[in-house]
């Protein structure tokens, strides 16, 4: 039972909960890089979440003020940022395709009027995308967006149960609408959602969540994560096996498909090899890769790495799209400070940026602490604020993520995160990381 569905006008909070479902569903989300989010709706208001649960808050007016300020700052900054980027990266300094020669040449050397028009169009699009990419961190998590989902009925059934168990009204409402729509097409596949089976499953989810939350309150002080100041480390490799152990396992796995011996015997064999012998086998396993799409084979699924990350929420959204990994994440807060792009400072937009962040922090603390609604308070937090999450992935997936996320075309903020991941792995397992030849460390 395969279906495609579009969900429109939902917040960044809800969309991340939906995209947490890793298996059986594929997502296509509206881009904050190529689409401007400063357009107002037919009601004359910016497009962010204004559900009943938010409008009934004691500090609802403050929430509106903070979100409006974020959108106003974003909107006013776009043209200034575009102007600044054109000054530091003028079109005359760029290279474009000369169709007659089939090579890229400086803009001033283009002769064909068609080539010039194409170059100017490409330049404008590139500058606009970069400006929006830089400024997206101003947007609050309440910002409404769209997502297309393709997947199988079993995965949709699980998604529906997760959303129905949510304590956020928006996510619960999405589940009800999604269930009604899917029932028209795959009703028999999702009928258990509204039966006792679904109710019991959701009770299990909520009971577990409440029980652990109660225990956590006993052991964790308020804002415990700030006590040692470690949130300033954007990337920290917190769990991995020692080098010799992991190399023995990898070499045994490489040899396994070519042997008739047991894995135990191959582990013993690999353990008796010298480090040089193991390194030679590992190098042979990856040396024929011609580009990053030639991913290492399955023996590299043996080593695992756990990273404790504290990046801005915008970067999290980019890394969240990788689903062949285990990710655990905390609630969005303003407790860990925020990321400020250097371009914002250089373009003279720092004052307005800081004022926007300060307003969001004030309103977050009003809703989270004074009103006691930390779940709802997440909506007012800007994408610039730092966010804590754990990623556990195997080496094969690390090759994919790191080589994909370090080329110059990527966002400079997540490029830095991927580069730090590479350095951390190379530091503890140099032979295994040596095959990552398509990492761009510039």
């Amino acid at each position: 039972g395969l279906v495609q569905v579009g969900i429109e006008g939902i917040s960044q909070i809800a969309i991340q909960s939906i995209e947490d479902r890793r298996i059986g569903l594929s997502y296509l989300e509206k881009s904050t890089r190529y689409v401007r989010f400063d357009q107002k709706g037919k009601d004359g208001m910016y497009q962010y979440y204004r559900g009943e649960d938010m409008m009934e808050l004691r500090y609802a007016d403050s929430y509106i003020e903070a979100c409006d300020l974020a959108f106003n700052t974003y909107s006013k900054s776009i043209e200034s940022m575009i102007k600044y980027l054109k000054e530091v990266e003028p079109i005359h300094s760029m290279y474009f395709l000369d169709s007659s020669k089939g090579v890229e040449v400086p803009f001033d050397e283009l002769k064909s009027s068609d080539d010039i028009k194409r170059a100017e169009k490409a330049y404008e699009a590139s500058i606009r995308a970069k400006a929006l990419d830089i400024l997206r961190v101003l947007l609050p998590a309440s910002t409404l967006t769209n997502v297309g989902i393709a997947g199988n009925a079993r995965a949709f059934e699980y998604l529906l149960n997760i959303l129905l168990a949510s304590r956020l009204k928006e996510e619960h409402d999405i589940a009800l609408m999604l269930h009604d729509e899917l029932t028209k097409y795959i009703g028999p596949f999702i009928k258990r959602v509204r039966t006792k089976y679904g109710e019991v499953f959701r009770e299990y989810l909520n009971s577990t969540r409440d029980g652990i939350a109660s225990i956590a309150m006993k052991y964790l002080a308020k804002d415990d994560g700030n006590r040692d100041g470690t949130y300033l480390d954007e990337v920290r490799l917190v769990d991995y096996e020692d080098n010799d152990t992991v190399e023995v396992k990898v070499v045994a796995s490489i040899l396994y498909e070519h042997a008739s011996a047991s894995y135990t015997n191959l582990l013993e064999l690999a353990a008796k090899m010298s480090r040089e012998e193991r390194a030679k086998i590992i190098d042979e396993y990856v040396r024929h890769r011609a580009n990053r799409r030639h991913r290492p084979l399955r023996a590299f699924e043996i080593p695992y790495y756990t990273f404790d990350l504290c990046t801005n929420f915008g970067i999290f959204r980019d890394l969240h799209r990788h689903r062949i990994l285990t990710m655990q994440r905390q609630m969005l807060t303003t407790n860990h400070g925020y990321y400020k792009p250097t371009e914002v400072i250089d373009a003279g937009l720092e004052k307005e940026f800081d004022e926007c962040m300060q307003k969001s922090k004030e309103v977050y603390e009003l809703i989270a602490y004074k009103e006691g609604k930390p779940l709802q308070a997440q909506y007012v937090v800007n994408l610039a604020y730092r966010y804590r999450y754990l990623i556990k992935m195997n080496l094969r997936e690390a090759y994919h993520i790191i080589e994909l996320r370090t080329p110059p075309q990527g966002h400079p903020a997540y490029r830095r995160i991927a580069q730090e991941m590479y350095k951390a792995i190379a530091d503890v397992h140099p032979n295994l990381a040596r095959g990552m030849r398509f990492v761009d460390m510039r």
Side-chain angles (χ1 to χ4, degrees):
L2 299 173
V3 351
Q4 295 177 333
V5 60
I7 307 180
E8 300 181 345
I10 64 174
S11 74
Q12 303 295 321
I13 298 296
I15 210 164
Q16 301 312 315
S17 295
I18 290 171
E19 293 181 4
D20 273 340
R21 316 280 74 79
R22 297 168 298 163
I23 299 173
L25 300 176
S26 296
Y27 309 100
L28 185 62
E29 184 182 339
K30 181 178 175 180
S31 173
T32 51
R33 190 177 200 178
Y34 302 110
V35 180
R36 293 175 66 137
F37 276 73
D38 59 336
Q39 305 302 308
K40 295 182 178 181
K42 294 179 180 178
D43 54 7
M45 296 188 288
Y46 288 119
Q47 299 299 288
Y48 58 85
Y49 180 67
R50 291 183 178 84
E52 291 178 10
D53 53 332
M54 298 305 293
M55 296 301 96
E56 292 172 356
L57 291 174
R58 193 190 329 162
Y59 298 104
D61 289 344
S62 298
Y63 169 72
I64 294 292
E65 288 175 13
C67 290
D68 279 348
L69 177 61
F71 274 90
N72 278 327
T73 306
Y74 171 83
S75 179
K76 292 176 182 177
S77 300
I78 292 175
E79 295 308 318
S80 296
M81 182 59 69
I82 288 175
K83 180 181 178 182
Y84 163 75
L85 292 174
K86 286 183 175 181
E87 290 174 356
V88 296
E89 296 180 2
I91 192 170
H92 302 286
S93 68
M94 301 293 178
Y95 282 67
F96 300 92
L97 180 67
D98 184 325
S99 58
S100 64
K101 299 177 181 177
V103 296
E104 290 189 341
V105 300
F107 177 79
D108 291 337
E109 293 182 15
L110 293 174
K111 305 300 182 185
S112 163
S113 59
D114 288 341
D115 283 349
I116 292 172
K117 288 179 182 178
R118 275 194 294 268
E120 290 172 340
K121 185 177 180 180
Y123 175 75
E124 292 293 332
S126 175
I127 290 292
R128 183 178 65 251
K130 187 168 184 177
L132 298 180
D133 214 11
I134 292 166
L135 296 172
R136 68 176 181 169
V137 293
L138 282 163
L139 297 171
S142 58
T143 302
L144 299 183
T145 189
N146 308 325
V147 64
I149 311 175
N152 65 62
R154 181 185 297 171
F156 273 111
E157 180 189 47
Y158 185 65
L159 172 62
L160 287 167
N161 274 316
I162 293 293
L163 293 177
L164 285 170
S166 173
R167 302 293 170 82
L168 281 174
K169 186 178 185 303
E170 181 192 15
E171 294 180 359
H172 193 272
D173 289 347
I174 290 170
L176 294 177
M177 291 187 288
L178 181 59
H179 181 272
D180 288 348
E181 187 68 12
L182 292 176
T183 298
K184 301 174 185 176
Y185 305 98
I186 54 170
F189 294 102
I190 60 171
K191 64 182 180 182
R192 287 184 301 183
V193 171
R194 305 305 294 272
T195 68
K196 65 177 182 179
Y197 299 104
E199 292 173 5
V200 169
F201 179 67
R202 295 191 291 275
E203 183 179 341
Y204 149 69
L205 292 175
N206 284 320
S207 297
T208 303
R209 181 166 49 203
D210 292 344
I212 296 300
S214 178
I215 291 173
M217 288 180 65
K218 296 179 183 178
Y219 290 98
L220 303 178
K222 188 177 181 181
D223 300 336
D224 183 68
N226 283 338
R227 266 195 315 212
D228 59 3
T230 54
Y231 63 81
L232 293 177
D233 292 337
E234 287 187 305
V235 179
R236 177 174 288 194
L237 179 58
V238 294
D239 187 48
Y240 55 93
E241 289 187 282
D242 72 83
N243 190 49
D244 286 343
T245 299
V246 78
E247 282 192 8
V248 165
K249 290 182 178 179
V250 169
V251 168
S253 298
I254 291 172
L255 298 176
Y256 187 81
E257 293 182 12
H258 303 273
S260 58
S262 69
Y263 188 60
T264 302
N265 288 343
L266 293 173
L267 287 171
E268 293 172 355
L269 173 64
K272 293 176 183 177
M273 294 178 183
S274 66
R275 288 184 175 178
E276 290 73 18
E277 288 178 298
R278 292 198 298 265
K280 185 176 181 180
I281 293 172
I282 292 168
D283 287 345
E284 181 64 23
Y285 200 61
V286 293
R287 76 180 183 88
H288 302 285
R289 300 178 67 227
N291 58 65
R292 67 173 176 80
R293 292 174 180 81
H294 293 173
R295 297 181 186 119
L297 304 180
R298 289 201 168 177
F300 272 26
E301 293 181 15
I302 296 297
Y304 271 86
Y305 306 89
T306 302
F307 288 94
D308 186 8
L309 302 176
C310 192
T311 71
N312 71 66
F313 192 66
I315 294 176
F316 161 77
R317 292 169 69 256
D318 292 316
L319 297 180
H320 188 236
R321 297 171 187 170
H322 297 279
R323 289 177 288 136
I324 311 301
L325 46 76
T326 297
M327 182 178 282
Q328 289 181 277
R329 56 195 186 93
Q330 300 178 355
M331 282 201 297
L332 186 58
T333 77
T334 59
N335 296 339
H336 305 312
Y338 58 85
Y339 157 80
K340 182 163 35 180
T342 56
E343 294 91 344
V344 165
I345 301 171
D346 295 340
L349 302 171
E350 184 176 13
K351 181 176 180 291
E352 294 84 353
F353 188 96
D354 288 340
E355 288 174 352
C356 177
M357 295 301 130
Q358 184 58 36
K359 180 65 174 179
S360 297
K361 181 177 176 64
E362 290 172 2
V363 177
Y364 170 83
E365 291 175 350
L366 287 175
I367 298 173
Y369 302 135
K370 285 200 172 183
E371 194 156 356
K373 302 276 189 179
L375 275 174
Q376 285 77 9
Q378 295 180 101
Y379 284 109
V380 79
V381 180
N382 310 86
L383 304 190
Y385 274 97
R386 294 193 180 97
Y387 184 60
R388 273 201 181 284
Y389 50 105
L390 278 180
I391 287 181
K392 183 174 183 177
M393 59 184 168
N394 62 47
L395 181 61
R396 191 182 189 202
E397 179 65 7
Y399 266 65
H400 168 63
I401 288 178
I402 292 169
E403 292 184 337
L404 175 69
R405 293 300 189 185
T406 53
Q409 303 95 312
H411 192 292
Y414 72 57
R415 288 189 69 214
R416 185 179 65 251
I417 300 305
Q419 289 169 344
E420 290 300 315
M421 284 180 163
Y422 168 74
K423 287 191 282 189
I425 294 174
D427 186 51
V428 296
H429 297 154
N431 287 338
L432 295 177
R434 193 156 47 231
M436 286 194 210
R437 295 195 302 277
F438 308 104
V439 178
D440 191 324
M441 293 300 289
R442 292 173 293 175

